[in-house]
Amino acid sequence: MGKSWLWLVALAGLFGPSAPQEKVTARIEAHPPAPTEYHPLTLTCEVSGDPGPQQFLWEKQGSQEPLQKGPDNTLFFPSFNKTHYGTYTCTATGSQGCVVATYDLWINDLINSVFVFPQETKDAYVLVKATPEQPLQNFTVCLRSYTDLTRPYSLFSYATEAQDNEILLAKHKPGEYRLYVGGKFVSFRIPKGSQMGSEHICTSWESTTGIVGFWFNGKPWPRKGLQKGYTVSHRAVILLGQQQGSYEAGIDAKRSFTGEISDVYMWDVGISTQEVASILYNLPVEAPIFGWRNFPYKIEGEVYLKP
Ligand SMILES: *[C@@H]1O[C@H](CO)[C@@H](O)[C@H](O)[C@H]1NC(C)=O
Ligand SMILES: *[C@@H]1O[C@H](CO)[C@@H](O)[C@H](O)[C@H]1NC(C)=O
């Protein structure tokens, strides 16, 4: 088999422009992409360009013994914890040789830190580097913000190619939050003029009923409804501190956030008031898609991570 394949390559080389052989590559993906401690985690070794049968050797750097060897391309951790941190390699052997992929498994814990957005600009935001793995029938987003802005501003912007405001959590004015789903919104009025402090918000949506939940500083607000039967796409760009406009229009400084954002979580399920209470202390019961105890992000422009 190996020999005849070489022979074909040699022939192709002799007889002029050959179809370029697709390069065999491997990469390791984590599911969920931002794993939570004490929750299940799967690493998957994805090989492209080689249709042949494969063997997968899983190793952890610094360990003598291989972790796993065989046809299974997944490595499963029933309860991910600190002892699992490290660099993992997967060596996939197939009909066209072997390829190696590596993955650094660690946690980006932001507890006791906040993102500071010091000034109004359209160039500063935080890109969240984890997105849902499947379309969403349910979601919950929680975050804490601290600002003295009185104009409209955007906190959490989840845009898809088809819909800029696929999910948008924004403050419209001092007494009003808005949640957009698929471009439509509901408002939640909160007391204004009370003394300034940080505001903790959780909001949830479920497709089957369209019901939107809203919790302000841990307290549930009367539920409302929006976009019953809708499905939220998972191919999204998620930003903190800016609203994503149409691809041509870009970002609008007049909706930008100044102040502090922290304690950001997103789940693909609904949430109970009991769980909101534990989220106030950054102790999630359900594993989030991403959360403050493992927050994958990239800063663009002037935003700082500070204690
Ligand atoms: C982490 O998980 C391993 C099993 O993979 C277990 O043996 C160990 O006790 C766990 N450690 C902690 C601190 O929970
Ligand atoms: C979404 O939530 C509803 C109501 O809680 C539940 O019945 C349904 O199974 C959930 N769907 C998914 C895909 O999680």
Side-chain angles (χ1 to χ4, degrees):
M1 168 69 206
K3 249 187 192 153
S4 56
W5 183 77
L6 268 177
W7 178 235
L8 276 176
V9 170
L11 274 181
L14 275 177
F15 295 109
S18 62
Q21 188 73 42
E22 196 188 342
K23 203 169 172 286
V24 182
T25 57
R27 74 197 143 82
I28 296 174
E29 283 179 358
H31 309 272
T36 304
E37 265 192 280
Y38 311 119
H39 285 90
L41 163 66
T42 305
L43 296 184
T44 307
C45 191
E46 301 286 356
V47 178
S48 56
D50 186 347
Q54 268 136 16
Q55 283 282 328
F56 298 90
L57 170 67
W58 286 95
E59 290 165 298
K60 185 181 181 187
Q61 279 179 18
S63 295
Q64 300 289 328
E65 299 288 312
L67 299 171
Q68 190 176 296
K69 192 176 177 179
D72 190 356
N73 72 332
T74 64
L75 189 62
F76 181 63
F77 305 82
S79 177
F80 168 56
N81 68 49
K82 283 191 177 63
T83 63
H84 302 125
Y85 292 5
T87 302
Y88 289 77
T89 62
C90 152
T91 307
T93 308
S95 56
Q96 299 179 17
C98 76
V99 278
V100 180
T102 66
Y103 188 86
D104 289 324
L105 184 58
W106 58 291
I107 273 196
N108 198 17
D109 191 338
L110 300 193
I111 298 297
N112 300 322
S113 301
V114 299
F115 287 121
V116 180
F117 297 74
Q119 53 183 306
E120 180 176 305
T121 156
K122 65 178 178 53
D123 304 322
Y125 56 86
V126 175
L127 174 71
V128 184
K129 285 172 51 187
T131 51
E133 297 187 88
Q134 284 153 17
L136 300 173
Q137 301 293 323
N138 304 294
F139 71 79
T140 303
V141 172
C142 295
L143 57 81
R144 182 182 292 284
S145 65
Y146 193 24
T147 181
D148 62 359
L149 285 174
T150 54
R151 62 164 171 79
Y153 58 84
S154 167
L155 290 159
F156 181 95
S157 167
Y158 178 113
T160 61
E161 207 165 345
Q163 178 52 257
D164 295 330
N165 300 329
E166 186 74 338
I167 301 174
L168 175 68
L169 179 59
K171 191 96 173 264
H172 185 61
K173 53 185 193 226
E176 181 185 340
Y177 276 95
R178 285 184 175 177
L179 175 71
Y180 288 75
V181 178
K184 300 193 172 144
F185 72 89
V186 279
S187 293
F188 290 92
R189 277 171 233 297
I190 53 147
K192 59 179 176 187
S194 54
Q195 75 190 59
M196 205 179 76
S198 72
E199 296 184 354
H200 187 273
I201 298 298
C202 285
T203 187
S204 68
W205 172 82
E206 65 175 38
S207 176
T208 48
T209 59
I211 287 176
V212 176
F214 186 84
W215 291 260
F216 181 71
N217 291 336
K219 191 168 173 254
W221 248 233
R223 283 170 277 193
K224 296 187 174 180
L226 179 69
Q227 292 282 41
K228 179 176 170 177
Y230 188 76
T231 298
V232 169
S233 167
H234 60 303
R235 300 187 198 288
V237 175
I238 308 177
L239 303 189
L240 306 178
Q242 295 283 358
Q243 183 165 340
Q244 298 175 74
S246 64
Y247 277 77
E248 304 84 61
I251 283 169
D252 178 2
K254 288 286 167 249
R255 299 258 160 178
S256 70
F257 178 82
T258 52
E260 302 178 6
I261 295 180
S262 64
D263 302 0
V264 182
Y265 288 84
M266 182 176 193
W267 293 264
D268 58 4
V269 292
I271 201 169
S272 66
T273 296
Q274 213 174 353
E275 177 144 21
V276 170
S278 57
I279 289 307
L280 281 169
Y281 299 98
N282 281 300
L283 296 168
V285 180
E286 288 274 351
I289 299 166
F290 51 81
W292 214 236
R293 291 192 171 272
N294 186 8
F295 197 73
Y297 70 92
K298 183 163 180 268
I299 286 177
E300 289 293 342
E302 232 190 299
V303 182
Y304 301 97
L305 186 65
K306 284 287 182 187

